Amino acid sequence: MSRIKGCFAQLKQEHKKALIPYVAAGDPNPEITVDLMHAMVASGADIIELGVPFSDPMADGPVIQKASERALVYGTSLSDVLAMVKTFRLTNNDTPVVLMGYLNPIEVMGYECFAKAAHDAGVDGVLTVDIPPEEAQSYIPALRACELDPIFLLSPTTTKDRMTIICQYASGFVYYVSVKGVTGTSALDTDEVAKRLAVIKEVTDLPIGVGFGIKNAETAAAVGQVADAVVVGSALVNLVEQNARSLSNEEGNKKITADISQVLVSMRTALDV
Amino acid sequence: MTIEQQTENKLSDMPDDNGHFGQYGGMFVPETLMEPLDELNQAYINYFQDPEFLAELDNDLAHYVGRPSPLYFAERWSRELGGAKIYLKREDLNHTGAHKVNNTVGQMLLAKRMGKTRIIAETGAGQHGVATATVAARLGLECVVYMGAEDIQRQALNVYRMKLLGAQVVSVESGSRTLKDALNEAMRDWVTNIDRTFYIIGTAAGPHPYPAMVRDFQAVIGREAREQSMQHEGRLPDALVACIGGGSNAIGLFYPFVDDQEVSMYGVEAAGHGLETGQHAAPLCAGKPGVLHGNRTYLMEDKHGQIIPTHSVSAGLDYPGVGPEHSWLKDIGRANYVSVTDEEALSGFHDLTRIEGIMPALESSHAMAYVKKLAPTMDKDQFIVVNLSGRGDKDIHTVATIDGIEF
């Protein structure tokens, strides 16, 4: 069983929801990432979504755009991100890791070469924002051949027919984008999300994660009422930005890790009530 | 498919139903945009078969844009270069001063029929922004134009023109602060305001159906040039020349000729400080295939797949990608892609101004600079049609600064 599938199966038994934090690899510097991943697990993360920096993140709002820019100052490449996951796996063999990013770095590496390297590093799933299933005829088999789960997005504009097609190609979980917009958007309508999730559940048995617009323990708990997993990104990356600006690398990394851990603990607590 | 059908397949039949030109093109976008793009594609397919829509488009092109644009024989310049005859397709004489308006008039008619009330656009040199703001003003629609902070500085005149036309110009401070970043920002706006917003992309790039749709709106250039060539010379041209940033003026000129193998085509990219310096905007000449802004195409990227900064003296060519149809025409060998440097482009600017009394945009000056190389290699009974895609008024400040003149 894949780590992702196993993770959701176990949470279901325990009647718990998955907490999935997102951070961009190499943000604000490459030294922080592996330690931060471990700290997030210790604070209640069930799955880690690791952003692969890209020069042109067209689906991201300003917070995650800047995270990419900070990471790219150090030249954090897809190969570097895979090396970080490999290091993380030295002491953690259980927590699933999903890479989230854009297609071009994977294109340049080559789908098969990437899939093999990602599997060898200990990656479990890949969410590529700008490849819909229509364009993924060689991408999906390449991932599957290396036991990687292709994670796809569903959005408020996705029709039921499209949902059915997308869910046929997806494995691990599907990711519902809660709002029309980019990452870090403010308003999330929980009632509306609940309605849409009901439709998604008609077409798939895969666990459903919800992201975009989850700001704090309160929204996490509200979304946790209806979804199987809660993804939190910009709210955490904001904490990186605040501390990266004002502190030196070493002090900044400590403070960032502490602040992110604190938010995750509060979300974990709210989700488990 | 029967053999009969296969032999009937023409280069002009591209793209396929999903927007692919061979391995290029396609729809590489976040999920939220898939439905809206499908809706746009349906509208594009339907209205391009609707006589009423086409009649309205023709009427606007004639009476608002001022078409057909002349095909002018540059007699003195031809004599000076001592080779093929040179004809200029005068897109600079269109309303707003460039070919861009052919496309914005068309997309605006689509927007109106689709019931959209808010228009957004990206712009580099500002020509597309001005052309969009113009048609939005005419219909009284809200208009937001995204423009890189770097380009806002270089093209202050066009920024002011857009504001006069009632558009809101948003300065894009992310990334390299140029055209590619403006496109990212416009995409983000579109995803967020999808219900009532129509995104008018200015070049023949982006996700399907944009590359095909923009081409079809710009193809009026080539259709007229074809007819005018017959009138002037009684036959089709020996060569076509056009500059390429995203490639909309070039594909507009080339497309109606792609099935005429005897007509050579030259797309001229911006070599900036020189291809060998790495400071250029010539993905077809010096880049590799990749995925950016919704399509697979030639890109300027580093070995890790990050998009790298481009350089050109001309803001309108300063883009790391190119329309997917050009990538395909390159790979199948139907069109030739070449490049000229900033310096060569400036000499093209000065020559045309001095010899013909026509001041070309710096973008179009790249095409002129290549004609300087090409014409002397051809016979006197041959002729070239070069797309004079825009006028140079907006660039006078840049040219003056390079010449060391302060106002």
Side-chain angles (χ1 to χ4, degrees), chain B residues 43 47 50-57 106-116 139 198:
Chain B
Y47 288 118
D50 175 2
E52 205 176 301
F53 176 85
L54 295 174
E56 190 175 350
L57 177 61
Q107 287 199 48
M108 190 64 80
L109 287 182
L110 271 184
K112 198 170 82 173
R113 282 193 169 50
M114 292 173 74
K116 304 289 182 180
L139 293 183
F198 191 103

mmCIF file of all heavy atoms in Angstrom, chain B residues 43 47 50-57 106-116 139 198:
data_model
loop_
_atom_site.group_PDB
_atom_site.id
_atom_site.type_symbol
_atom_site.label_atom_id
_atom_site.label_comp_id
_atom_site.label_asym_id
_atom_site.label_seq_id
_atom_site.Cartn_x
_atom_site.Cartn_y
_atom_site.Cartn_z
ATOM 1 N N ALA B 43 -17.216 29.320 -28.213
ATOM 2 C CA ALA B 43 -17.626 30.608 -28.779
ATOM 3 C C ALA B 43 -16.809 30.921 -30.029
ATOM 4 O O ALA B 43 -17.348 31.351 -31.056
ATOM 5 C CB ALA B 43 -17.459 31.713 -27.745
ATOM 6 N N TYR B 47 -18.691 31.354 -33.548
ATOM 7 C CA TYR B 47 -18.781 32.674 -34.179
ATOM 8 C C TYR B 47 -17.942 32.786 -35.448
ATOM 9 O O TYR B 47 -18.247 33.594 -36.320
ATOM 10 C CB TYR B 47 -18.452 33.776 -33.170
ATOM 11 C CG TYR B 47 -19.570 33.950 -32.166
ATOM 12 C CD1 TYR B 47 -19.365 33.724 -30.810
ATOM 13 C CD2 TYR B 47 -20.852 34.298 -32.592
ATOM 14 C CE1 TYR B 47 -20.396 33.848 -29.896
ATOM 15 C CE2 TYR B 47 -21.890 34.424 -31.691
ATOM 16 C CZ TYR B 47 -21.661 34.199 -30.338
ATOM 17 O OH TYR B 47 -22.690 34.325 -29.445
ATOM 18 N N ASP B 50 -20.265 32.155 -38.093
ATOM 19 C CA ASP B 50 -21.497 32.927 -38.035
ATOM 20 C C ASP B 50 -21.379 34.148 -38.959
ATOM 21 O O ASP B 50 -20.598 35.066 -38.690
ATOM 22 C CB ASP B 50 -21.713 33.358 -36.571
ATOM 23 C CG ASP B 50 -22.904 34.282 -36.411
ATOM 24 O OD1 ASP B 50 -23.591 34.555 -37.418
ATOM 25 O OD2 ASP B 50 -23.131 34.750 -35.280
ATOM 26 N N PRO B 51 -22.130 34.157 -40.071
ATOM 27 C CA PRO B 51 -22.001 35.247 -41.048
ATOM 28 C C PRO B 51 -22.221 36.624 -40.436
ATOM 29 O O PRO B 51 -21.568 37.600 -40.823
ATOM 30 C CB PRO B 51 -23.102 34.950 -42.069
ATOM 31 C CG PRO B 51 -23.476 33.531 -41.858
ATOM 32 C CD PRO B 51 -23.171 33.190 -40.432
ATOM 33 N N GLU B 52 -23.118 36.703 -39.458
ATOM 34 C CA GLU B 52 -23.409 37.994 -38.840
ATOM 35 C C GLU B 52 -22.202 38.516 -38.059
ATOM 36 O O GLU B 52 -21.835 39.685 -38.135
ATOM 37 C CB GLU B 52 -24.604 37.823 -37.909
ATOM 38 C CG GLU B 52 -25.394 39.080 -37.661
ATOM 39 C CD GLU B 52 -26.603 38.771 -36.797
ATOM 40 O OE1 GLU B 52 -27.430 37.938 -37.207
ATOM 41 O OE2 GLU B 52 -26.671 39.328 -35.685
ATOM 42 N N PHE B 53 -21.550 37.598 -37.312
ATOM 43 C CA PHE B 53 -20.349 37.966 -36.565
ATOM 44 C C PHE B 53 -19.249 38.416 -37.523
ATOM 45 O O PHE B 53 -18.619 39.452 -37.329
ATOM 46 C CB PHE B 53 -19.864 36.763 -35.732
ATOM 47 C CG PHE B 53 -18.578 37.010 -34.985
ATOM 48 C CD1 PHE B 53 -18.577 37.624 -33.743
ATOM 49 C CD2 PHE B 53 -17.356 36.636 -35.538
ATOM 50 C CE1 PHE B 53 -17.388 37.851 -33.059
ATOM 51 C CE2 PHE B 53 -16.161 36.862 -34.861
ATOM 52 C CZ PHE B 53 -16.190 37.469 -33.622
ATOM 53 N N LEU B 54 -19.042 37.636 -38.576
ATOM 54 C CA LEU B 54 -17.965 37.942 -39.516
ATOM 55 C C LEU B 54 -18.223 39.265 -40.242
ATOM 56 O O LEU B 54 -17.283 40.027 -40.498
ATOM 57 C CB LEU B 54 -17.801 36.790 -40.514
ATOM 58 C CG LEU B 54 -17.339 35.466 -39.881
ATOM 59 C CD1 LEU B 54 -17.337 34.331 -40.907
ATOM 60 C CD2 LEU B 54 -15.960 35.599 -39.233
ATOM 61 N N ALA B 55 -19.505 39.548 -40.509
ATOM 62 C CA ALA B 55 -19.832 40.816 -41.165
ATOM 63 C C ALA B 55 -19.540 41.989 -40.241
ATOM 64 O O ALA B 55 -18.999 43.021 -40.665
ATOM 65 C CB ALA B 55 -21.300 40.812 -41.575
ATOM 66 N N GLU B 56 -19.865 41.833 -38.960
ATOM 67 C CA GLU B 56 -19.588 42.901 -37.995
ATOM 68 C C GLU B 56 -18.079 43.115 -37.861
ATOM 69 O O GLU B 56 -17.595 44.248 -37.794
ATOM 70 C CB GLU B 56 -20.221 42.566 -36.632
ATOM 71 C CG GLU B 56 -20.177 43.748 -35.673
ATOM 72 C CD GLU B 56 -20.908 43.491 -34.349
ATOM 73 O OE1 GLU B 56 -21.612 42.475 -34.236
ATOM 74 O OE2 GLU B 56 -20.742 44.323 -33.445
ATOM 75 N N LEU B 57 -17.335 42.014 -37.835
ATOM 76 C CA LEU B 57 -15.869 42.090 -37.746
ATOM 77 C C LEU B 57 -15.313 42.831 -38.963
ATOM 78 O O LEU B 57 -14.497 43.757 -38.832
ATOM 79 C CB LEU B 57 -15.281 40.676 -37.652
ATOM 80 C CG LEU B 57 -13.760 40.555 -37.628
ATOM 81 C CD1 LEU B 57 -13.170 41.277 -36.427
ATOM 82 C CD2 LEU B 57 -13.335 39.088 -37.608
ATOM 83 N N GLY B 106 -11.422 41.915 -32.745
ATOM 84 C CA GLY B 106 -12.065 40.605 -32.869
ATOM 85 C C GLY B 106 -12.432 40.002 -31.531
ATOM 86 O O GLY B 106 -13.572 39.559 -31.308
ATOM 87 N N GLN B 107 -11.452 39.987 -30.598
ATOM 88 C CA GLN B 107 -11.730 39.373 -29.289
ATOM 89 C C GLN B 107 -12.791 40.165 -28.526
ATOM 90 O O GLN B 107 -13.575 39.595 -27.767
ATOM 91 C CB GLN B 107 -10.454 39.240 -28.459
ATOM 92 C CG GLN B 107 -9.521 38.148 -28.964
ATOM 93 C CD GLN B 107 -8.515 37.703 -27.914
ATOM 94 O OE1 GLN B 107 -8.854 37.441 -26.770
ATOM 95 N NE2 GLN B 107 -7.256 37.608 -28.300
ATOM 96 N N MET B 108 -12.803 41.497 -28.735
ATOM 97 C CA MET B 108 -13.808 42.294 -28.044
ATOM 98 C C MET B 108 -15.215 41.957 -28.533
ATOM 99 O O MET B 108 -16.160 41.907 -27.741
ATOM 100 C CB MET B 108 -13.520 43.786 -28.246
ATOM 101 C CG MET B 108 -14.352 44.697 -27.383
ATOM 102 S SD MET B 108 -14.017 44.471 -25.606
ATOM 103 C CE MET B 108 -12.519 45.408 -25.439
ATOM 104 N N LEU B 109 -15.348 41.668 -29.835
ATOM 105 C CA LEU B 109 -16.656 41.258 -30.348
ATOM 106 C C LEU B 109 -17.087 39.930 -29.720
ATOM 107 O O LEU B 109 -18.260 39.730 -29.398
ATOM 108 C CB LEU B 109 -16.617 41.106 -31.877
ATOM 109 C CG LEU B 109 -16.549 42.382 -32.714
ATOM 110 C CD1 LEU B 109 -16.577 42.044 -34.195
ATOM 111 C CD2 LEU B 109 -17.704 43.317 -32.376
ATOM 112 N N LEU B 110 -16.110 39.035 -29.535
ATOM 113 C CA LEU B 110 -16.414 37.768 -28.859
ATOM 114 C C LEU B 110 -16.852 38.021 -27.422
ATOM 115 O O LEU B 110 -17.830 37.444 -26.942
ATOM 116 C CB LEU B 110 -15.180 36.861 -28.826
ATOM 117 C CG LEU B 110 -14.928 35.904 -29.976
ATOM 118 C CD1 LEU B 110 -13.704 35.047 -29.648
ATOM 119 C CD2 LEU B 110 -16.133 35.002 -30.213
ATOM 120 N N ALA B 111 -16.102 38.884 -26.727
ATOM 121 C CA ALA B 111 -16.401 39.187 -25.324
ATOM 122 C C ALA B 111 -17.825 39.707 -25.187
ATOM 123 O O ALA B 111 -18.578 39.300 -24.294
ATOM 124 C CB ALA B 111 -15.407 40.223 -24.789
ATOM 125 N N LYS B 112 -18.181 40.596 -26.106
ATOM 126 C CA LYS B 112 -19.516 41.190 -26.085
ATOM 127 C C LYS B 112 -20.573 40.096 -26.255
ATOM 128 O O LYS B 112 -21.548 40.029 -25.510
ATOM 129 C CB LYS B 112 -19.621 42.215 -27.228
ATOM 130 C CG LYS B 112 -20.755 43.195 -27.087
ATOM 131 C CD LYS B 112 -20.648 44.315 -28.122
ATOM 132 C CE LYS B 112 -21.201 43.889 -29.470
ATOM 133 N NZ LYS B 112 -21.261 44.999 -30.452
ATOM 134 N N ARG B 113 -20.353 39.212 -27.229
ATOM 135 C CA ARG B 113 -21.333 38.150 -27.470
ATOM 136 C C ARG B 113 -21.399 37.155 -26.321
ATOM 137 O O ARG B 113 -22.432 36.522 -26.094
ATOM 138 C CB ARG B 113 -21.013 37.448 -28.772
ATOM 139 C CG ARG B 113 -21.475 38.260 -29.973
ATOM 140 C CD ARG B 113 -21.450 37.462 -31.222
ATOM 141 N NE ARG B 113 -22.090 38.051 -32.386
ATOM 142 C CZ ARG B 113 -21.918 39.263 -32.871
ATOM 143 N NH1 ARG B 113 -21.164 40.133 -32.245
ATOM 144 N NH2 ARG B 113 -22.518 39.651 -33.985
ATOM 145 N N MET B 114 -20.287 36.988 -25.600
ATOM 146 C CA MET B 114 -20.277 36.061 -24.466
ATOM 147 C C MET B 114 -20.799 36.726 -23.189
ATOM 148 O O MET B 114 -20.841 36.092 -22.135
ATOM 149 C CB MET B 114 -18.858 35.514 -24.232
ATOM 150 C CG MET B 114 -18.380 34.588 -25.344
ATOM 151 S SD MET B 114 -16.623 34.126 -25.158
ATOM 152 C CE MET B 114 -16.719 32.958 -23.789
ATOM 153 N N GLY B 115 -21.156 37.987 -23.280
ATOM 154 C CA GLY B 115 -21.752 38.683 -22.140
ATOM 155 C C GLY B 115 -20.765 39.074 -21.049
ATOM 156 O O GLY B 115 -21.154 39.310 -19.907
ATOM 157 N N LYS B 116 -19.478 39.201 -21.405
ATOM 158 C CA LYS B 116 -18.477 39.582 -20.403
ATOM 159 C C LYS B 116 -18.432 41.103 -20.283
ATOM 160 O O LYS B 116 -18.536 41.813 -21.293
ATOM 161 C CB LYS B 116 -17.096 39.048 -20.783
ATOM 162 C CG LYS B 116 -17.050 37.540 -21.009
ATOM 163 C CD LYS B 116 -17.203 36.761 -19.719
ATOM 164 C CE LYS B 116 -17.098 35.272 -19.988
ATOM 165 N NZ LYS B 116 -17.244 34.458 -18.772
ATOM 166 N N LEU B 139 -16.586 50.359 -26.298
ATOM 167 C CA LEU B 139 -17.768 49.635 -25.831
ATOM 168 C C LEU B 139 -18.140 49.994 -24.399
ATOM 169 O O LEU B 139 -19.085 49.456 -23.842
ATOM 170 C CB LEU B 139 -17.543 48.126 -25.932
ATOM 171 C CG LEU B 139 -17.420 47.559 -27.348
ATOM 172 C CD1 LEU B 139 -17.275 46.056 -27.315
ATOM 173 C CD2 LEU B 139 -18.625 47.946 -28.206
ATOM 174 N N PHE B 198 -13.214 38.763 -19.456
ATOM 175 C CA PHE B 198 -12.669 38.223 -20.698
ATOM 176 C C PHE B 198 -11.204 38.627 -20.765
ATOM 177 O O PHE B 198 -10.876 39.807 -20.634
ATOM 178 C CB PHE B 198 -13.427 38.787 -21.904
ATOM 179 C CG PHE B 198 -13.103 38.086 -23.204
ATOM 180 C CD1 PHE B 198 -13.986 37.157 -23.755
ATOM 181 C CD2 PHE B 198 -11.908 38.346 -23.881
ATOM 182 C CE1 PHE B 198 -13.682 36.507 -24.948
ATOM 183 C CE2 PHE B 198 -11.606 37.689 -25.074
ATOM 184 C CZ PHE B 198 -12.496 36.776 -25.609
#
